[in-house]
Amino acid sequence: MTIDPLALVALFAEYGALLDAGRYDDWLTLFAAECRYTIMPRENYERGLPAALIFCDGRAMLEDRVQALREANKYNIHSDRHVIGLPRIVAERADGALSVEAPFAVFQTDQEGETRLFATGLYRNRLTARGGSELRIAEALVLLDTAAVPTLLATPL
Amino acid sequence: MIDATIWPARDYSRVPYRLYHDRELYEREQERIFRGPVWHYLALEAEIPEPGDFRAARVGDTPVVVNRDRDGEIRAFVNRCAHRGALVRRELSGNANEHICIYHQWCYGLDGRLMAIPFRRGVRGKGGLDRDFDMGSHGLRPLRVAAVNGAIFGTLAQDAEPLDTFLGATILAEISRVLHRPVRVLGYTRQRIRANWKLYAENTRDNYHASLLHEFLVTFGLDRATQVGGVRMDARHRHNITWAEADSDTAEAARSAYNGANIRNDYLTLRAPELVEFRREREDNLSLIITSIFPSVVFAVISNSLAIRQIRPRGVDEVEVHQTLLGYEDDTPDMALHRLHQANLVGPAGLVSMEDGEAIELAHRASRPDRDRTTVIELGGAGVISDRDYRVNDVPLRGFWSYYAELLGIEPPDAVR
Protein backbone atom coordinates (compact mmCIF):
# COMPACT_ATOMS: atom_id res chain seq x y z
CA MET A 1 0.00 0.00 0.00
CA THR A 2 1.28 3.44 -0.76
CA ILE A 3 0.93 5.90 2.05
CA ASP A 4 -0.04 9.41 1.24
CA PRO A 5 2.42 11.52 3.29
CA LEU A 6 -0.15 14.30 3.47
CA ALA A 7 -2.63 11.96 5.15
CA LEU A 8 0.01 11.23 7.75
CA VAL A 9 0.71 14.90 8.35
CA ALA A 10 -3.03 15.59 8.54
CA LEU A 11 -3.50 12.92 11.20
CA PHE A 12 -0.89 14.48 13.48
CA ALA A 13 -2.23 17.97 12.80
CA GLU A 14 -5.72 16.82 13.74
CA TYR A 15 -4.38 15.08 16.82
CA GLY A 16 -2.71 18.21 18.17
CA ALA A 17 -5.57 20.53 17.26
CA LEU A 18 -8.21 18.37 18.98
CA LEU A 19 -6.16 18.10 22.17
CA ASP A 20 -5.47 21.84 22.25
CA ALA A 21 -9.19 22.50 21.78
CA GLY A 22 -10.00 20.17 24.68
CA ARG A 23 -12.10 17.99 22.33
CA TYR A 24 -11.05 14.74 23.96
CA ASP A 25 -13.99 12.66 22.68
CA ASP A 26 -13.17 13.68 19.12
CA TRP A 27 -9.51 12.96 19.83
CA LEU A 28 -10.54 9.42 20.82
CA THR A 29 -11.99 8.88 17.32
CA LEU A 30 -8.45 9.09 15.93
CA PHE A 31 -7.67 5.83 17.71
CA ALA A 32 -8.47 2.38 16.34
CA ALA A 33 -11.09 0.22 18.06
CA GLU A 34 -8.27 -1.76 19.63
CA CYS A 35 -5.66 0.65 20.90
CA ARG A 36 -3.12 1.59 23.50
CA TYR A 37 -1.90 4.93 24.74
CA THR A 38 1.24 5.29 26.86
CA ILE A 39 3.22 8.26 28.12
CA MET A 40 6.59 7.05 29.28
CA PRO A 41 9.61 8.98 30.53
CA ARG A 42 12.40 8.32 28.05
CA GLU A 43 14.71 7.42 30.96
CA ASN A 44 12.51 4.40 31.75
CA TYR A 45 12.19 3.38 28.12
CA GLU A 46 15.92 3.46 27.50
CA ARG A 47 16.64 1.34 30.56
CA GLY A 48 13.97 -1.17 29.62
CA LEU A 49 11.84 -0.29 32.66
CA PRO A 50 8.14 -0.87 32.00
CA ALA A 51 6.43 1.73 34.22
CA ALA A 52 4.76 4.71 32.58
CA LEU A 53 3.21 7.99 33.64
CA ILE A 54 0.01 7.05 31.85
CA PHE A 55 -0.62 3.53 30.60
CA CYS A 56 -3.99 3.05 28.92
CA ASP A 57 -3.82 -0.64 28.13
CA GLY A 58 -6.78 -0.81 25.78
CA ARG A 59 -9.48 1.49 24.58
CA ALA A 60 -11.54 1.10 27.78
CA MET A 61 -8.74 2.52 29.92
CA LEU A 62 -8.22 5.38 27.50
CA GLU A 63 -11.91 6.24 27.65
CA ASP A 64 -11.78 5.99 31.45
CA ARG A 65 -8.88 8.44 31.50
CA VAL A 66 -10.89 10.95 29.48
CA GLN A 67 -13.92 10.42 31.70
CA ALA A 68 -11.84 10.92 34.85
CA LEU A 69 -10.37 14.11 33.41
CA ARG A 70 -13.85 15.43 32.81
CA GLU A 71 -15.66 14.15 35.90
CA ALA A 72 -13.17 13.77 38.70
CA ASN A 73 -9.65 15.13 38.37
CA LYS A 74 -8.67 18.67 39.28
CA TYR A 75 -5.65 20.26 37.73
CA ASN A 76 -4.00 23.58 36.99
CA ILE A 77 -6.15 25.88 34.85
CA HIS A 78 -4.28 26.12 31.57
CA SER A 79 -4.38 25.74 27.83
CA ASP A 80 -2.10 23.52 25.78
CA ARG A 81 -0.40 24.16 22.45
CA HIS A 82 1.02 21.20 20.60
CA VAL A 83 3.75 21.88 18.07
CA ILE A 84 4.27 18.63 16.22
CA GLY A 85 7.18 18.15 13.85
CA LEU A 86 7.06 16.35 10.53
CA PRO A 87 6.31 12.66 10.86
CA ARG A 88 8.74 10.08 9.57
CA ILE A 89 7.79 6.60 8.40
CA VAL A 90 9.99 4.11 10.20
CA ALA A 91 8.53 0.87 8.88
CA GLU A 92 5.68 -0.25 6.69
CA ARG A 93 4.18 -3.68 7.08
CA ALA A 94 2.50 -5.85 4.49
CA ASP A 95 -0.86 -5.62 6.29
CA GLY A 96 -0.81 -1.85 5.92
CA ALA A 97 0.31 -1.07 9.47
CA LEU A 98 2.80 1.74 9.75
CA SER A 99 5.37 2.63 12.35
CA VAL A 100 5.82 6.37 12.43
CA GLU A 101 7.64 8.90 14.55
CA ALA A 102 7.16 12.60 15.09
CA PRO A 103 8.84 14.97 17.55
CA PHE A 104 6.67 17.33 19.58
CA ALA A 105 6.73 20.22 21.98
CA VAL A 106 3.79 21.18 24.16
CA PHE A 107 3.56 24.64 25.66
CA GLN A 108 1.22 25.43 28.53
CA THR A 109 -0.29 28.84 29.12
CA ASP A 110 -1.96 29.85 32.37
CA GLN A 111 -4.75 32.35 32.97
CA GLU A 112 -2.29 35.22 33.38
CA GLY A 113 -1.01 34.57 29.89
CA GLU A 114 2.28 33.16 31.03
CA THR A 115 3.56 30.36 28.84
CA ARG A 116 6.04 27.68 29.76
CA LEU A 117 7.53 24.81 27.84
CA PHE A 118 5.69 21.87 29.37
CA ALA A 119 7.06 18.90 27.50
CA THR A 120 9.14 17.75 24.61
CA GLY A 121 9.42 14.25 23.28
CA LEU A 122 8.73 11.87 20.47
CA TYR A 123 5.57 10.14 19.31
CA ARG A 124 6.35 6.61 18.30
CA ASN A 125 3.06 5.38 16.91
CA ARG A 126 1.69 2.37 15.14
CA LEU A 127 -1.02 3.22 12.68
CA THR A 128 -3.53 1.10 10.85
CA ALA A 129 -5.35 2.01 7.68
CA ARG A 130 -9.06 1.38 8.04
CA GLY A 131 -10.67 0.28 4.80
CA GLY A 132 -7.38 0.93 3.08
CA SER A 133 -7.70 4.66 3.47
CA GLU A 134 -8.29 6.34 6.81
CA LEU A 135 -5.35 6.15 9.17
CA ARG A 136 -6.05 5.32 12.82
CA ILE A 137 -3.77 5.07 15.83
CA ALA A 138 -3.45 1.51 17.08
CA GLU A 139 -0.71 2.39 19.49
CA ALA A 140 0.59 5.73 20.67
CA LEU A 141 3.81 5.66 22.65
CA VAL A 142 4.64 9.15 23.85
CA LEU A 143 8.30 9.14 24.83
CA LEU A 144 8.76 12.04 27.17
CA ASP A 145 12.10 13.84 27.22
CA THR A 146 10.80 16.15 29.94
CA ALA A 147 10.77 13.46 32.58
CA ALA A 148 10.68 16.09 35.33
CA VAL A 149 7.02 16.92 34.82
CA PRO A 150 6.26 20.57 35.61
CA THR A 151 3.62 20.53 38.39
CA LEU A 152 1.42 17.72 37.07
CA LEU A 153 0.30 15.94 33.91
CA ALA A 154 -3.46 15.89 33.37
CA THR A 155 -4.36 16.79 29.79
CA PRO A 156 -3.04 14.24 27.27
CA LEU A 157 0.09 14.82 25.22
CA MET B 1 15.69 35.42 62.35
CA ILE B 2 13.02 32.87 63.17
CA ASP B 3 13.05 31.63 66.77
CA ALA B 4 10.77 29.89 69.28
CA THR B 5 8.48 32.92 69.47
CA ILE B 6 7.29 32.21 65.91
CA TRP B 7 4.61 29.77 67.10
CA PRO B 8 1.19 31.19 68.00
CA ALA B 9 0.22 27.84 69.57
CA ARG B 10 2.41 25.37 71.40
CA ASP B 11 0.50 22.41 69.89
CA TYR B 12 1.45 23.48 66.34
CA SER B 13 -2.20 23.94 65.39
CA ARG B 14 -1.17 27.23 63.75
CA VAL B 15 1.78 27.40 61.35
CA PRO B 16 2.88 30.87 60.21
CA TYR B 17 3.18 31.15 56.42
CA ARG B 18 6.68 32.52 56.94
CA LEU B 19 7.92 28.99 57.53
CA TYR B 20 7.27 28.10 53.89
CA HIS B 21 8.96 31.17 52.43
CA ASP B 22 11.93 32.19 54.51
CA ARG B 23 15.28 31.83 52.73
CA GLU B 24 17.39 31.97 55.87
CA LEU B 25 15.28 29.20 57.35
CA TYR B 26 15.85 27.10 54.24
CA GLU B 27 19.59 27.24 54.85
CA ARG B 28 19.05 26.31 58.48
CA GLU B 29 16.94 23.32 57.38
CA GLN B 30 19.79 22.15 55.18
CA GLU B 31 22.16 22.33 58.13
CA ARG B 32 19.98 21.01 60.95
CA ILE B 33 17.78 18.54 59.07
CA PHE B 34 19.42 17.44 55.85
CA ARG B 35 22.99 17.55 57.16
CA GLY B 36 21.71 16.96 60.70
CA PRO B 37 21.11 13.87 62.86
CA VAL B 38 18.38 12.45 60.66
CA TRP B 39 18.37 9.45 58.33
CA HIS B 40 17.58 9.97 54.66
CA TYR B 41 16.47 7.37 52.15
CA LEU B 42 19.11 7.00 49.41
CA ALA B 43 18.29 4.05 47.16
CA LEU B 44 17.41 0.37 47.09
CA GLU B 45 19.99 -2.36 47.26
CA ALA B 46 18.13 -3.86 44.30
CA GLU B 47 19.21 -0.84 42.24
CA ILE B 48 22.90 -1.55 42.81
CA PRO B 49 23.08 -5.36 42.91
CA GLU B 50 26.64 -5.82 41.54
CA PRO B 51 30.02 -4.57 42.81
CA GLY B 52 30.76 -1.25 41.12
CA ASP B 53 27.07 -0.39 40.65
CA PHE B 54 26.37 3.17 41.67
CA ARG B 55 23.45 5.52 41.86
CA ALA B 56 23.11 9.26 42.40
CA ALA B 57 21.04 10.43 45.35
CA ARG B 58 20.29 13.67 47.13
CA VAL B 59 20.27 14.55 50.80
CA GLY B 60 18.59 17.92 50.69
CA ASP B 61 20.78 20.05 48.43
CA THR B 62 23.79 17.78 48.94
CA PRO B 63 24.61 15.49 46.00
CA VAL B 64 25.37 11.95 47.09
CA VAL B 65 26.57 8.85 45.30
CA VAL B 66 25.79 5.43 46.70
CA ASN B 67 27.68 2.39 45.44
CA ARG B 68 28.48 -1.24 46.13
CA ASP B 69 32.18 -1.78 46.65
CA ARG B 70 34.33 -4.76 45.62
CA ASP B 71 33.39 -6.63 48.81
CA GLY B 72 29.68 -6.11 48.19
CA GLU B 73 29.38 -3.48 50.93
CA ILE B 74 27.08 -0.53 50.39
CA ARG B 75 28.82 2.82 50.76
CA ALA B 76 27.69 6.38 50.24
CA PHE B 77 29.65 9.60 49.80
CA VAL B 78 29.09 13.24 49.16
CA ASN B 79 29.46 13.44 45.39
CA ARG B 80 32.01 16.23 45.44
CA CYS B 81 35.70 16.26 44.64
CA ALA B 82 38.03 17.08 47.54
CA HIS B 83 40.09 19.22 45.16
CA ARG B 84 37.85 21.87 43.61
CA GLY B 85 34.44 20.89 44.91
CA ALA B 86 33.18 19.64 41.54
CA LEU B 87 30.58 16.93 41.10
CA VAL B 88 32.57 13.73 40.60
CA ARG B 89 30.05 11.21 39.33
CA ARG B 90 27.91 12.86 36.67
CA GLU B 91 25.72 9.94 35.58
CA LEU B 92 22.56 9.08 37.53
CA SER B 93 23.47 5.40 37.62
CA GLY B 94 25.93 2.91 36.17
CA ASN B 95 28.82 0.61 36.96
CA ALA B 96 32.42 1.67 37.47
CA ASN B 97 35.70 0.57 39.01
CA GLU B 98 36.36 4.01 40.43
CA HIS B 99 34.98 7.54 40.45
CA ILE B 100 37.09 10.03 38.50
CA CYS B 101 36.47 13.76 38.58
CA ILE B 102 36.65 15.07 35.01
CA TYR B 103 38.09 18.42 36.05
CA HIS B 104 41.62 17.32 37.07
CA GLN B 105 41.15 13.55 37.02
CA TRP B 106 41.39 12.98 40.74
CA CYS B 107 40.46 9.36 41.18
CA TYR B 108 38.50 7.81 44.07
CA GLY B 109 37.96 4.15 44.86
CA LEU B 110 34.59 2.54 45.53
CA ASP B 111 35.47 2.90 49.22
CA GLY B 112 35.72 6.67 48.71
CA ARG B 113 39.48 6.82 49.25
CA LEU B 114 41.53 9.16 47.09
CA MET B 115 43.56 6.73 44.96
CA ALA B 116 45.44 8.81 42.42
CA ILE B 117 46.19 12.40 41.47
CA PRO B 118 47.64 13.18 38.02
CA PHE B 119 51.06 14.90 38.07
CA ARG B 120 51.23 14.44 41.81
CA ARG B 121 55.02 14.78 41.59
CA GLY B 122 54.85 17.36 38.80
CA VAL B 123 56.62 17.07 35.48
CA ARG B 124 60.40 16.63 35.20
CA GLY B 125 60.69 17.24 38.93
CA LYS B 126 58.80 20.52 38.83
CA GLY B 127 55.31 21.30 40.09
CA GLY B 128 52.89 18.87 41.63
CA LEU B 129 51.86 18.59 45.26
CA ASP B 130 54.02 19.01 48.31
CA ARG B 131 55.54 15.76 49.61
CA ASP B 132 53.50 15.97 52.79
CA PHE B 133 50.12 16.23 51.04
CA ASP B 134 47.91 13.71 52.84
CA MET B 135 46.00 11.54 50.36
CA GLY B 136 44.30 9.80 53.29
CA SER B 137 42.43 12.88 54.46
CA HIS B 138 41.19 13.89 51.01
CA GLY B 139 38.74 11.14 50.20
CA LEU B 140 35.08 11.59 49.33
CA ARG B 141 33.20 12.55 52.49
CA PRO B 142 31.44 9.38 53.68
CA LEU B 143 27.86 9.07 54.93
CA ARG B 144 26.92 6.58 57.58
CA VAL B 145 24.68 4.01 55.90
CA ALA B 146 22.20 1.44 57.18
CA ALA B 147 19.45 -0.55 55.50
CA VAL B 148 16.01 -1.97 56.21
CA ASN B 149 15.22 -4.97 54.01
CA GLY B 150 17.20 -3.48 51.16
CA ALA B 151 16.11 0.16 51.57
CA ILE B 152 19.34 2.13 52.06
CA PHE B 153 19.36 5.13 54.34
CA GLY B 154 22.26 7.47 54.99
CA THR B 155 23.15 10.34 57.27
CA LEU B 156 25.90 12.95 57.25
CA ALA B 157 25.79 13.26 61.03
CA GLN B 158 28.10 10.97 62.92
CA ASP B 159 25.99 11.49 66.06
CA ALA B 160 22.66 10.38 64.61
CA GLU B 161 20.83 7.74 66.64
CA PRO B 162 20.78 4.24 65.07
CA LEU B 163 18.41 3.90 62.09
CA ASP B 164 16.16 1.40 63.92
CA THR B 165 15.69 3.79 66.82
CA PHE B 166 15.15 6.72 64.48
CA LEU B 167 12.36 4.88 62.67
CA GLY B 168 10.83 3.30 65.75
CA ALA B 169 9.16 -0.12 65.93
CA THR B 170 5.90 0.84 64.19
CA ILE B 171 7.52 2.37 61.12
CA LEU B 172 10.27 -0.23 60.98
CA ALA B 173 7.68 -3.01 60.97
CA GLU B 174 5.72 -1.38 58.14
CA ILE B 175 8.71 -0.78 55.85
CA SER B 176 9.97 -4.28 56.58
CA ARG B 177 6.59 -5.56 55.60
CA VAL B 178 6.40 -3.65 52.30
CA LEU B 179 9.90 -4.89 51.48
CA HIS B 180 9.39 -8.38 52.91
CA ARG B 181 10.43 -10.06 49.69
CA PRO B 182 12.84 -9.02 46.93
CA VAL B 183 11.59 -6.07 44.91
CA ARG B 184 12.04 -5.11 41.29
CA VAL B 185 12.13 -1.50 40.10
CA LEU B 186 9.42 -0.94 37.48
CA GLY B 187 10.45 2.63 36.69
CA TYR B 188 10.78 6.19 37.89
CA THR B 189 8.71 9.34 37.67
CA ARG B 190 9.65 12.88 38.60
CA GLN B 191 7.69 16.01 39.17
CA ARG B 192 8.71 19.60 39.87
CA ILE B 193 6.24 21.47 42.00
CA ARG B 194 6.53 25.20 42.59
CA ALA B 195 6.00 24.98 46.32
CA ASN B 196 8.02 24.63 49.49
CA TRP B 197 9.02 21.05 50.26
CA LYS B 198 7.28 21.08 53.64
CA LEU B 199 3.90 21.57 51.98
CA TYR B 200 4.42 18.26 50.24
CA ALA B 201 5.66 16.59 53.44
CA GLU B 202 2.52 17.80 55.22
CA ASN B 203 0.29 16.68 52.37
CA THR B 204 1.43 13.06 52.68
CA ARG B 205 0.43 13.15 56.38
CA ASP B 206 -2.96 14.72 55.71
CA ASN B 207 -5.65 12.08 55.90
CA TYR B 208 -8.39 14.70 55.65
CA HIS B 209 -7.63 15.86 52.10
CA ALA B 210 -7.49 12.48 50.39
CA SER B 211 -11.07 11.90 49.35
CA LEU B 212 -11.93 15.60 49.10
CA LEU B 213 -9.11 16.74 46.82
CA HIS B 214 -8.72 13.47 44.94
CA GLU B 215 -12.30 13.20 43.76
CA PHE B 216 -11.54 10.19 41.62
CA LEU B 217 -11.40 8.14 44.83
CA VAL B 218 -14.99 8.89 45.71
CA THR B 219 -16.39 9.30 42.20
CA PHE B 220 -15.31 5.79 41.36
CA GLY B 221 -15.89 4.39 44.84
CA LEU B 222 -12.27 3.47 45.51
CA ASP B 223 -11.53 5.10 48.83
CA ARG B 224 -13.68 7.18 51.18
CA ALA B 225 -13.42 8.91 54.52
CA THR B 226 -16.13 6.57 55.80
CA GLN B 227 -13.81 3.56 55.58
CA VAL B 228 -12.14 2.17 58.66
CA GLY B 229 -8.77 3.89 58.86
CA GLY B 230 -6.60 6.29 60.74
CA VAL B 231 -3.10 7.43 61.53
CA ARG B 232 -0.33 5.75 63.49
CA MET B 233 2.89 7.50 64.47
CA ASP B 234 6.24 6.70 66.05
CA ALA B 235 6.76 7.66 69.69
CA ARG B 236 8.19 11.06 68.73
CA HIS B 237 5.34 11.66 66.23
CA ARG B 238 7.78 12.66 63.50
CA HIS B 239 6.80 9.80 61.16
CA ASN B 240 3.32 8.64 60.30
CA ILE B 241 1.37 5.82 58.74
CA THR B 242 -1.93 6.77 57.18
CA TRP B 243 -3.96 3.60 56.69
CA ALA B 244 -7.37 2.48 55.47
CA GLU B 245 -9.10 -0.84 55.21
CA ALA B 246 -10.64 -2.02 51.95
CA ASP B 247 -14.39 -2.67 51.75
CA SER B 248 -14.99 -1.41 55.27
CA ASP B 249 -17.89 0.94 54.58
CA THR B 250 -21.06 0.89 52.50
CA ALA B 251 -22.05 3.07 49.56
CA GLU B 252 -25.10 4.13 51.58
CA ALA B 253 -23.08 5.37 54.54
CA ALA B 254 -20.66 7.15 52.21
CA ARG B 255 -23.48 8.88 50.33
CA SER B 256 -24.97 10.33 53.45
CA ALA B 257 -21.55 11.35 54.86
CA TYR B 258 -20.52 13.22 51.71
CA ASN B 259 -23.95 14.81 51.37
CA GLY B 260 -23.39 18.51 50.75
CA ALA B 261 -19.62 18.14 50.26
CA ASN B 262 -19.81 19.25 46.62
CA ILE B 263 -18.53 15.89 45.50
CA ARG B 264 -20.54 13.76 43.16
CA ASN B 265 -21.54 10.56 44.85
CA ASP B 266 -23.41 8.70 42.15
CA TYR B 267 -20.38 6.42 41.83
CA LEU B 268 -19.59 6.27 38.18
CA THR B 269 -18.17 3.03 36.91
CA LEU B 270 -15.01 2.48 34.98
CA ARG B 271 -14.98 0.64 31.69
CA ALA B 272 -11.77 -1.02 32.84
CA PRO B 273 -12.49 -1.66 36.54
CA GLU B 274 -9.24 -3.61 37.00
CA LEU B 275 -7.64 -0.19 37.30
CA VAL B 276 -9.06 0.10 40.82
CA GLU B 277 -9.36 -3.58 41.68
CA PHE B 278 -7.69 -4.30 45.01
CA ARG B 279 -6.06 -7.71 45.26
CA ARG B 280 -5.41 -8.59 48.85
CA GLU B 281 -1.72 -9.37 49.41
CA ARG B 282 -1.30 -9.29 53.16
CA GLU B 283 -2.97 -10.65 56.26
CA ASP B 284 -4.68 -7.38 57.02
CA ASN B 285 -7.07 -5.91 54.49
CA LEU B 286 -5.36 -2.53 54.17
CA SER B 287 -5.65 -1.02 50.70
CA LEU B 288 -3.97 2.25 51.63
CA ILE B 289 -0.76 2.52 53.63
CA ILE B 290 1.14 5.78 53.31
CA THR B 291 4.25 5.70 55.48
CA SER B 292 5.82 9.16 55.75
CA ILE B 293 9.28 9.17 57.26
CA PHE B 294 10.71 12.45 58.48
CA PRO B 295 11.73 14.48 56.62
CA SER B 296 11.58 13.41 53.04
CA VAL B 297 10.64 9.88 52.09
CA VAL B 298 7.28 8.20 51.71
CA PHE B 299 6.54 4.52 51.19
CA ALA B 300 3.17 4.47 49.47
CA VAL B 301 0.99 1.40 49.05
CA ILE B 302 -2.15 2.43 47.20
CA SER B 303 -4.23 -0.57 46.23
CA ASN B 304 -1.60 -2.82 44.58
CA SER B 305 0.75 -0.05 43.52
CA LEU B 306 3.98 0.19 45.48
CA ALA B 307 6.13 3.29 45.38
CA ILE B 308 8.86 5.14 47.21
CA ARG B 309 8.53 8.90 46.94
CA GLN B 310 11.48 11.12 47.71
CA ILE B 311 10.80 14.74 48.54
CA ARG B 312 13.77 16.70 47.22
CA PRO B 313 13.85 20.41 48.07
CA ARG B 314 15.08 22.65 45.26
CA GLY B 315 15.29 25.95 47.05
CA VAL B 316 12.56 27.55 49.09
CA ASP B 317 10.09 27.77 46.18
CA GLU B 318 10.38 24.39 44.46
CA VAL B 319 10.36 20.71 45.29
CA GLU B 320 11.02 17.64 43.20
CA VAL B 321 8.99 14.55 43.97
CA HIS B 322 10.94 11.54 42.71
CA GLN B 323 9.02 8.30 42.63
CA THR B 324 10.42 4.79 42.36
CA LEU B 325 7.71 2.33 41.28
CA LEU B 326 8.11 -1.21 42.55
CA GLY B 327 6.89 -4.73 42.13
CA TYR B 328 8.10 -7.96 43.66
CA GLU B 329 10.60 -10.24 41.93
CA ASP B 330 8.19 -13.14 42.24
CA ASP B 331 5.10 -11.34 40.91
CA THR B 332 3.22 -13.51 38.44
CA PRO B 333 3.04 -11.98 34.94
CA ASP B 334 -0.58 -11.13 35.66
CA MET B 335 0.29 -9.36 38.92
CA ALA B 336 3.19 -7.55 37.26
CA LEU B 337 0.76 -6.21 34.65
CA HIS B 338 -1.75 -5.29 37.35
CA ARG B 339 0.90 -3.15 39.07
CA LEU B 340 1.70 -1.40 35.79
CA HIS B 341 -2.02 -0.69 35.36
CA GLN B 342 -2.26 0.64 38.89
CA ALA B 343 0.76 2.88 38.34
CA ASN B 344 -1.91 5.00 36.62
CA LEU B 345 -3.20 5.89 40.07
CA VAL B 346 0.00 7.51 41.34
CA GLY B 347 2.68 10.00 40.31
CA PRO B 348 2.51 13.30 38.39
CA ALA B 349 -0.33 11.99 36.18
CA GLY B 350 -1.86 9.76 38.83
CA LEU B 351 -5.65 9.52 38.85
CA VAL B 352 -5.58 9.84 42.64
CA SER B 353 -2.48 12.00 43.05
CA MET B 354 -2.18 14.60 40.28
CA GLU B 355 -4.16 17.11 42.36
CA ASP B 356 -1.45 17.30 45.02
CA GLY B 357 0.81 19.32 42.72
CA GLU B 358 -1.91 21.88 42.09
CA ALA B 359 -3.09 22.04 45.72
CA ILE B 360 0.30 22.76 47.24
CA GLU B 361 1.16 25.27 44.51
CA LEU B 362 -2.04 27.11 45.41
CA ALA B 363 -1.06 27.10 49.09
CA HIS B 364 2.48 28.25 48.33
CA ARG B 365 1.37 31.03 46.00
CA ALA B 366 -1.37 32.53 48.15
CA SER B 367 0.51 32.31 51.46
CA ARG B 368 3.60 34.17 50.25
CA PRO B 369 2.51 37.78 50.68
CA ASP B 370 1.15 37.57 54.23
CA ARG B 371 3.78 35.80 56.24
CA ASP B 372 2.50 36.45 59.74
CA ARG B 373 -0.82 34.79 59.06
CA THR B 374 -1.14 31.09 59.70
CA THR B 375 -2.58 27.80 58.52
CA VAL B 376 -5.10 25.94 60.68
CA ILE B 377 -4.26 22.37 61.70
CA GLU B 378 -7.09 21.26 63.92
CA LEU B 379 -8.89 18.35 62.28
CA GLY B 380 -9.13 15.62 64.88
CA GLY B 381 -8.84 18.36 67.47
CA ALA B 382 -6.01 20.54 68.73
CA GLY B 383 -3.87 19.76 71.76
CA VAL B 384 -2.41 16.32 72.27
CA ILE B 385 -0.63 14.67 69.35
CA SER B 386 -1.61 11.01 69.19
CA ASP B 387 -2.72 8.16 66.94
CA ARG B 388 -6.28 8.26 65.66
CA ASP B 389 -8.54 5.45 64.49
CA TYR B 390 -10.59 7.64 62.20
CA ARG B 391 -9.76 9.32 58.92
CA VAL B 392 -10.97 12.89 59.22
CA ASN B 393 -7.87 14.26 60.91
CA ASP B 394 -4.59 16.02 60.18
CA VAL B 395 -2.94 15.37 63.55
CA PRO B 396 0.32 13.97 62.06
CA LEU B 397 1.06 17.37 60.51
CA ARG B 398 1.45 18.68 64.04
CA GLY B 399 3.79 15.80 64.80
CA PHE B 400 5.91 16.79 61.80
CA TRP B 401 6.14 20.40 63.00
CA SER B 402 6.89 19.37 66.54
CA TYR B 403 9.99 17.43 65.52
CA TYR B 404 10.90 20.08 62.95
CA ALA B 405 10.86 22.73 65.68
CA GLU B 406 13.01 20.58 67.93
CA LEU B 407 15.64 20.02 65.24
CA LEU B 408 15.75 23.66 64.26
CA GLY B 409 16.02 24.76 67.85
CA ILE B 410 12.79 26.75 67.70
CA GLU B 411 10.63 24.64 70.00
CA PRO B 412 8.39 26.88 72.15
CA PRO B 413 8.37 26.50 75.95
CA ASP B 414 6.03 23.71 77.15
CA ALA B 415 5.61 22.56 73.59
CA VAL B 416 3.35 19.63 72.81
CA ARG B 417 5.38 16.76 71.38
Side-chain angles (χ1 to χ4, degrees), chain A residues 36 41 43-44 47-57 59-61 63-65 67-69 71-77 110-111 114 116 146-155, chain B residues 55 92-93 185-194 212-216 219-220 264 268-272 274-275 320 325 337 340-341 343-344 346 348-351 354-355 357-358 361:
Chain A
R36 249 184 184 197
E43 62 178 345
N44 288 354
R47 289 181 206 173
L49 298 173
L53 284 155
I54 292 181
F55 176 36
C56 298
D57 190 14
R59 187 168 189 104
M61 281 193 200
E63 290 178 359
D64 285 342
R65 183 54 87 153
Q67 189 189 206
L69 196 61
E71 305 289 345
N73 289 128
K74 301 174 196 125
Y75 48 92
N76 51 326
I77 299 172
D110 68 16
Q111 299 176 95
E114 188 178 324
R116 61 173 165 172
T146 316
V149 175
T151 308
L152 62 90
L153 171 60
T155 47
Chain B
R55 208 176 150 71
L92 291 180
S93 64
V185 172
L186 302 179
Y188 304 95
T189 68
R190 302 162 186 271
Q191 178 174 14
R192 298 264 173 95
I193 303 172
R194 292 174 291 191
L212 297 169
L213 176 66
H214 306 303
E215 241 177 279
F216 182 93
T219 304
F220 295 98
R264 60 183 301 166
L268 300 174
T269 51
L270 292 169
R271 291 178 182 83
E274 61 267 35
L275 203 70
E320 178 182 64
L325 289 156
L337 183 63
L340 293 177
H341 287 162
N344 280 298
V346 299
L351 291 164
M354 69 169 76
E355 289 86 3
E358 170 70 353
E361 282 196 3

Side-chain angles (χ1 to χ4, degrees), chain B residues 55-112:
Chain B
R55 208 176 150 71
R58 290 261 308 272
V59 173
D61 287 341
T62 306
V64 166
V65 63
V66 51
N67 69 213
R68 194 180 285 273
D69 71 14
R70 289 283 147 233
D71 301 323
E73 292 292 309
I74 304 289
R75 293 168 179 273
F77 319 99
V78 174
N79 188 6
R80 184 165 58 216
C81 186
H83 177 214
R84 298 290 298 161
L87 196 71
V88 176
R89 178 51 69 187
R90 298 181 301 157
E91 303 86 347
L92 291 180
S93 64
N95 183 280
N97 291 318
E98 66 277 303
H99 302 298
I100 300 174
C101 178
I102 62 162
Y103 199 173
H104 304 87
Q105 307 262 343
W106 285 32
C107 173
Y108 302 89
L110 298 176
D111 57 3

Side-chain angles (χ1 to χ4, degrees), chain B residues 222-275:
Chain B
L222 178 65
D223 189 279
R224 308 180 276 228
T226 40
Q227 281 165 248
V228 175
V231 299
R232 204 154 63 223
M233 289 168 272
D234 65 307
R236 184 59 191 84
H237 302 141
R238 52 196 170 189
H239 319 304
N240 174 60
I241 301 171
T242 290
W243 58 278
E245 219 174 280
D247 309 319
S248 55
D249 67 346
T250 63
E252 220 25 66
R255 267 198 194 93
S256 90
Y258 280 93
N259 202 10
N262 195 30
I263 284 185
R264 60 183 301 166
N265 61 2
D266 50 351
Y267 306 137
L268 300 174
T269 51
L270 292 169
R271 291 178 182 83
E274 61 267 35
L275 203 70

